[in-house]
Amino acid sequence: MKAARKPALQPPRAAEWLLLALAGDPDAEFVAGDLAENFGCLFARRGGRAACRWYVWQVVRSAPALLSLRMRSGELTGAVLRATLGVLLPLVALDRLWRFVYSQIPLKDGVERDPAMLLANILFVLLCSWAVGRQEPRTPRRAGPDVVAALVAAALAVRVAVGAAPAAYIVCLLLSAAANSFWSPRRRKLR
Amino acid sequence: MKWVLRIVAILVALPLMGAVVLLAMGQRSGAGRSHASIEIQAPPEHIWPWLEDSARLKQWVSWLVEVRDGPHAAPGAGAQRVFVMRDDNNGGALMEIPFTISDYAPPAHVTFHAEVAGSFKGDEVYRLTALGNGRTRLDQVGQYQYQMWIARLMEPLITPQAEKKMRADLTRLKQAVEQSETAPR
């Protein structure tokens, strides 16, 4: 006979993660703490299912306000700026350069790029995104907007580049674009 | 401020370093020269028409859209032709490349001289060497000079890509010739 499992007093993980990702570093702990407290009360009074429903609904309805707060704090603008300067512009510039190189071939050629050129794209993105990246220590939560902006910038650059890019290149490029958001020369200070 | 300076320094240093490397590479012997070679299972006389005939040229020279005869079209030295190439790296624009045959010795070798004002000038040489047993080695050598300063700077990148394209074209030619050799006549 199975023992009846006691429901854990734990807000739904995905909703909690979304909440932490949406709220900026200064607000995340407070917002999550308040919601967890209310979640606990509701859990005791109306049971786990109702408390979870309430929690998810609270996260969904706070999302626009949290995002707007983050936008006003300049955090998202900074992330977009860093992604544009560190990922999008370098990739677009390199695409223009490769187009020029290929169009100078006396008997012309197609738009399939040499693997060395694709590798150069990845290295250039790593360097540029490091050069324009945030210099303060960052937590995974803080890195969220940077990662999303870098991924969108890389995807956009692939989209506007001529020719089809190999899947392996796209994966490496996306990883490189996002990598810098997690890394900082001063990260050690976090400890 | 320190980080702004670092960003500016990196963004200036990277292209500068690239330019210095390219400048140095541009001084190497054989700059602007591309070479590809292939062995084809056919005698030189059977390959030669593939180097002359407009319709056949379009079958193996990629991105070649049209071959127009110039004022002096008769085969031989001095004959002129215009290759119309599609350039997908330039928005699919059609580029006209005028060629003049400067050296003509069928079925052994032919040299095309190309000159596009403000872009490049150079020679494309096709040399056929009979290897016996109905086999032929075809060597293609391109030697070009670029007229734009940025293209001259980029030459170490352009030439390897030109060579790669040359190899792909010769592979297509080999397939086309060998298929026509085995096809029932």
Side-chain angles (χ1 to χ4, degrees):
Chain A
M1 218 174 103
K2 280 185 187 173
R5 274 173 59 188
K6 207 180 163 184
L9 189 69
Q10 171 81 38
R13 283 247 179 239
E16 193 181 21
W17 181 87
L18 185 66
L19 176 74
L20 293 174
L22 286 170
D25 242 9
D27 307 315
E29 296 301 337
F30 297 112
V31 178
D34 284 350
L35 274 189
E37 207 178 307
N38 289 332
F39 174 82
C41 294
L42 209 62
F43 193 95
R45 278 192 287 129
R46 292 171 55 190
R49 193 165 286 191
C52 285
R53 259 203 315 271
W54 175 85
Y55 192 93
V56 171
W57 173 236
Q58 290 303 312
V59 171
V60 169
R61 57 181 284 211
S62 353
L66 289 172
L67 272 177
S68 141
L69 263 176
R70 264 186 121 163
M71 245 182 263
R72 267 184 276 160
S73 74
E75 200 183 343
L76 293 187
T77 314
V80 169
L81 202 64
R82 280 188 292 277
T84 306
L85 290 175
V87 179
L88 184 62
L89 288 184
L91 282 174
V92 170
L94 276 182
D95 179 58
R96 292 291 179 275
L97 183 69
W98 302 145
R99 276 194 215 188
F100 175 77
V101 166
Y102 273 72
S103 71
Q104 291 303 309
I105 294 174
L107 288 180
K108 308 304 163 201
D109 204 351
V111 290
E112 249 179 61
R113 297 292 179 248
D114 194 85
M117 289 175 170
L118 300 180
L119 183 65
N121 285 2
I122 290 170
L123 293 177
F124 198 55
V125 160
L126 276 173
L127 263 172
C128 288
S129 56
W130 171 75
V132 303
R134 293 161 72 132
Q135 301 311 321
E136 70 269 29
R138 66 202 70 172
T139 59
R141 201 157 53 232
R142 261 188 188 180
D146 282 278
V147 171
V148 173
L151 291 178
V152 170
L156 194 62
V158 170
R159 180 77 186 83
V160 297
V162 294
Y169 163 69
I170 295 176
V171 171
C172 290
L173 185 66
L174 292 176
L175 288 176
S176 325
N180 187 61
S181 310
F182 288 106
W183 183 84
S184 152
R186 296 185 189 175
R187 187 151 189 181
R188 283 181 180 193
K189 281 187 179 175
L190 274 174
R191 287 171 195 163
Chain B
M1 191 62 192
K2 195 176 135 194
W3 290 108
V4 174
L5 285 176
R6 191 195 69 164
I7 290 167
V8 172
I10 288 174
L11 293 182
V12 170
L14 274 178
L16 202 66
M17 269 166 54
V20 169
V21 170
L22 287 172
L23 260 177
M25 286 174 73
Q27 304 307 312
R28 73 199 187 284
S29 66
R33 185 180 191 275
S34 41
H35 171 238
S37 178
I38 202 160
E39 282 185 25
I40 302 174
Q41 190 63 52
E45 312 81 63
H46 291 187
I47 301 171
W48 188 259
W50 289 86
L51 305 178
E52 280 202 318
D53 181 59
S54 307
R56 292 195 202 193
L57 275 167
K58 281 196 281 183
Q59 288 180 44
W60 66 274
V61 179
S62 53
W63 311 104
L64 177 61
V65 176
E66 188 189 349
V67 181
R68 284 204 301 265
D69 288 332
H72 308 288
Q80 292 175 341
R81 284 176 145 187
V82 177
F83 277 26
V84 182
M85 315 285 307
R86 199 176 83 226
D87 187 3
D88 274 357
N89 287 286
N90 198 7
L94 295 180
M95 320 292 286
E96 294 193 356
I97 305 170
F99 280 99
T100 306
I101 294 181
S102 57
D103 187 15
Y104 185 79
H109 59 89
V110 60
T111 303
F112 296 95
H113 177 75
E115 192 158 349
V116 178
S119 183
F120 67 87
K121 64 175 179 180
D123 294 306
E124 199 80 35
V125 182
Y126 295 90
R127 193 173 295 279
L128 294 158
T129 312
L131 300 174
N133 291 328
R135 290 177 66 79
T136 304
R137 190 179 67 238
L138 170 59
D139 289 288
Q140 183 181 356
V141 179
Q143 178 72 57
Y144 289 95
Q145 288 175 332
Y146 300 96
Q147 285 160 4
M148 269 191 288
W149 71 269
I150 182 84
R152 275 203 300 275
L153 182 70
M154 293 290 154
E155 181 281 323
L157 296 177
I158 297 168
T159 302
Q161 299 312 317
E163 200 167 84
K164 206 173 155 191
K165 196 259 184 186
M166 207 181 246
R167 281 197 297 271
D169 281 353
L170 288 189
T171 305
R172 236 186 326 275
L173 172 65
K174 176 186 166 76
Q175 283 168 353
V177 173
E178 289 179 356
Q179 261 173 21
S180 74
E181 287 290 296
T182 53
R185 288 162 199 260

